[in-house]
Amino acid sequence: MPFLRAQYISIVNDTNAKQVVFSNAKMKVRLNYDQQANISFLTVNGQELINGQKGIFSEIRLKDTIYSTLHLAKSPSVKIANNTIILSDIQYGGPNLSITEHWTLTPGDSAIKLSIRRTVPRDIEVAQLLSPAILFRNINVWDGAFQDYGGLAWFYLFNQKLDTYGTHSRSAKFWNSKTGNGLNVVIDAPGKEVATIYSRTANDELLWSAAEASQNILPRYDSGTNRRRYLRGLGTNVWAPIKINAGTSEQAITISYYDFKEEYDRGNFVGLNGAQISDVLNTIARIGVIDKNHFGGNSWHTPYGPICLHEQYIGQMGLAINDPVYLKGYQQCLDFYRDNAIKPDGRVYSRWAYTNEDAMPGVFNEKGFYEAQWGYLLDANPDFVTNVSELFDQTGDKSWIKTHQLSCEKALDWLLERDRDHNGLVEMMNDSMQQKKSSDWIDIIWASYENAFVNAKLYHALVLWANIEKQLGNIGRAKYYASFAQQLKSSFNKRTEDGGFWDEENQCYVHWRDKNGSVHGRNMVTPVNFMAIGYGICDDSSRIRTILDRIEAKMEEERLFFWPLCMTSYAAGEGQDWQYPFPNYENGDIFLSWGALGVKVYAAYKPEIALKYVRNVLDRYAKDGLAYQRYGRIKQEGLGDDILSGNCLSVVGLYQAIYGINPLYNRFYLDPHITDELAGTSIKYNYRDQKLKIDLAVDRYTISNGQFKITDNKAFGSFFRKNELTYFHGANESASMKVLVDNKLGIKLRSWNPAAYSWSQTGQGGTKKKVTYQLMQLKPDNDYRIFINDVLYRKAKSSRDGTLLFSVNQSDKEGEIAVTIR
């Protein structure tokens, strides 16, 4: 936001103590200049953040020497004029290096702007630059800090002293969920790269600092890769040395208060703990964002920091995170993946990590992308396409999606070419479980040849991308991908004895078929069966009911709080040896990353079951923060240091499937499956630079944007522009009606079918306004009658393209409009 000068600023200069105390509406600050230059005291909205000898300062660390504005040979000069504080002649350094800084502090209404001009006499290599550094009084002052690309530094995970995390972010948006206070620190350094550090000090304080350089700022660890962003007890410097050129440089830092609870208010959640929902989406959902251009499911806290490109739900998480900054950051990340993680032939590397320890020997590139040691995980190809497609739905950025057309086609075509027997099912790189290699996300289960897990993901990607090809005008490609998807669906649903994946004996879809025709993974593998239903491959109501009832019966029998990866054990030899005896790790443990699919399939069948597992996950978050890789099946305790952001996905499913929130490329689609106990929920949602309010009751759904308010008793879509509302009936992707008025207006749909289209309208403001209606998709060249409050208003004829246009007057009273065919 723009920097605003305050209407009232208090500035007091105590020349004896050599301190300047100043304040504005939200901040109180003490600046020390007694042989030092630092802000030693800071409160924001009454919360004390800094009170000590250090506070906010500059520091330059050479190989074996530290120079700082905390220790000066003489006191700087101070001048106060026009509500601006100027601190000049700040000199520090050593005998062979004299550094001079000039500070200008300008208080605003709820912010302070600190400009630093620094002069160094010669080029120097700096082990660490802290410009500025902010030392908060303890690690618990803030819950976390959002990054300018949508990531998060979450201090809950700084669980030992000297834990340090580095990011390439120009801002740090600190927040405290209990106090509601927020502090936004923004670095303005045009033409420079900026890198920041968050560190838990030896005294359990929180140190934040920024560095800027003309060149790339690279991590100092690990030797040969230099990609590690998180250090466990290794000190407070993530970054390799940088060069500061001789001469004068300038940077500006704006430190401002914001109301966290107001800015990130998600609404009123009836029947569920809204604070827990917000906390999950503000924390665990974002920790897979390791750095700018590096979005995944594994957190930056994970020892080797992997990103799995074979995860189709990273874009989907943006739907519930609901932060435009996250969406913009993920766009840039997918651009980076497009340019660096896809081979010329279209194969998508499956992973990225801090080190190469998880890679096939020699199968990695200089950017850190690699093939996993466990096998060629071919779901990376469809998952790249799915993430691009679902992000496009959320942004509607057509110019951006065009830049991904070629890469998505290459990724799909590479995989489609693996259907060597032309049965609609693509084959893996491995032919048999005897090879002891994997081919999908469940990476130490030896799925091979025709893999239902990968083929289900491929079907989903094909359906999404075929629709995008149609939007881009490439009808031939759209038909090709849609046709392949239909053949895949047909083969997928065949019985195993007929070459498909449906196991009549075990009443589930199997995991894979070896090349010799043997069938494996007959143990109700949860994600395989959830994907088959949730992605629309299985539309047999009997199969759907059987699968979901059997899974729920097993859940009740074992009293599990969430769905495990499989209901019973994989057969001997189908996984790595230490997966046995069942349950152990990927052979039976509880992974929360498949929660969105689980919630989706049950929401459409029995929403009370879906809601039960959402509530269970929220309860777990309250107990342990979900900061685990998985949960053990026997004791249901958190296990694994490999923390997964996918642990948020049941809450994503709550948003998408239960509340029915589905932003699409051309409309906001609302398709709720709520229960009585959720009735009255009111959600605030960001959509295309607008703040929407979504009110949910049983069979009564409302979306409003401040000007328009539209209500229906079934799923519908809408799109808002200034003075224009577009209504989409049901799941129809073509508009059904447009409404134009330059006043506030409420619309309630009554019926929408060829026999009668009816709705009510309610104005606001006491003045009559003309409301223009345009109905689409009517019968062409047909006569229609228009009624207002059951009185014939006029007769009209639809156009050749099935459009009917008419205007009526708006009033404060509710009036019913009906359009019937003659």
Side-chain angles (χ1 to χ4, degrees), residues 495-507:
R495 298 179 304 168
T496 52
E497 53 263 43
D498 297 325
F501 295 125
W502 178 252
D503 185 344
E504 284 282 4
E505 180 182 352
N506 291 290
Q507 292 290 285

Side-chain angles (χ1 to χ4, degrees), residues 53-120:
Q53 297 299 312
K54 292 185 176 181
I56 302 176
F57 57 97
S58 297
E59 186 167 284
I60 293 177
R61 300 180 182 181
L62 305 183
K63 186 176 182 181
D64 51 10
T65 310
I66 296 177
Y67 299 126
S68 168
T69 62
L70 298 172
H71 307 286
L72 307 178
K74 62 176 184 177
S75 298
S77 301
V78 176
K79 179 181 178 181
I80 300 173
N82 299 321
N83 285 340
T84 297
I85 305 157
I86 300 172
L87 208 61
S88 57
D89 201 21
I90 305 168
Q91 296 184 13
Y92 61 104
N96 300 316
L97 181 63
S98 176
I99 304 166
T100 303
E101 291 191 7
H102 180 97
W103 291 10
T104 302
L105 294 99
T106 310
D109 187 44
S110 58
I112 298 167
K113 187 173 183 179
L114 169 61
S115 298
I116 299 175
R117 187 170 71 242
R118 179 182 300 110
T119 302
V120 296

Side-chain angles (χ1 to χ4, degrees), residues 261-444:
K261 289 186 176 179
E262 180 179 335
E263 187 165 335
Y264 290 90
D265 180 16
R266 293 179 177 272
N268 180 38
F269 294 88
V270 175
L272 290 171
N273 188 316
Q276 291 175 354
I277 291 169
S278 293
D279 286 347
V280 168
L281 296 174
N282 288 334
T283 59
I284 204 75
R286 294 184 187 244
I287 61 169
V289 185
I290 291 179
D291 196 358
K292 182 178 292 184
N293 297 332
H294 293 82
F295 284 49
N298 296 76
S299 80
W300 39 263
H301 187 270
T302 300
Y304 66 103
I307 290 172
C308 294
L309 278 73
H310 53 111
E311 288 177 325
Q312 80 280 28
Y313 38 68
I314 308 304
Q316 184 186 18
M317 287 195 287
L319 178 149
I321 291 172
N322 193 221
D323 182 355
V325 175
Y326 179 93
L327 301 185
K328 179 78 178 295
Y330 194 40
Q331 274 189 322
Q332 294 172 346
C333 169
L334 289 172
D335 292 346
F336 182 75
Y337 290 175
R338 175 198 64 206
D339 299 338
N340 297 284
I342 304 179
K343 297 180 181 181
D345 63 357
R347 168 61 183 152
V348 180
Y349 278 113
S350 60
R351 291 185 180 173
W352 177 96
Y354 294 155
T355 66
N356 296 328
E357 65 191 81
D358 183 48
M360 289 183 186
V363 188
F364 52 82
N365 67 18
E366 62 178 5
K367 298 294 185 179
F369 297 101
Y370 64 89
E371 296 287 4
Q373 62 177 308
W374 311 109
Y376 289 94
L377 311 180
L378 298 195
D379 41 348
N381 276 56
D383 289 354
F384 175 79
V385 177
T386 293
N387 283 316
V388 169
S389 302
E390 296 197 336
L391 184 60
F392 169 61
D393 267 335
Q394 293 171 60
T395 66
D397 189 341
K398 201 165 185 177
S399 62
W400 176 77
I401 197 68
K402 286 179 180 177
T403 70
H404 281 267
Q405 186 172 10
L406 180 60
S407 58
C408 286
E409 289 173 351
K410 285 174 62 177
L412 287 176
D413 292 350
W414 183 90
L415 193 54
L416 297 185
E417 288 174 4
R418 297 201 60 77
D419 178 19
R420 304 293 166 77
D421 57 6
H422 306 292
N423 69 344
L425 301 174
V426 299
E427 293 101 45
M428 306 299 102
M429 304 284 275
N430 50 330
D431 294 337
S432 166
M433 73 176 193
Q434 303 301 329
Q435 294 170 265
K436 297 188 176 181
K437 289 293 181 182
S438 183
S439 55
D440 65 43
W441 187 89
I442 310 178
D443 60 12
I444 48 177

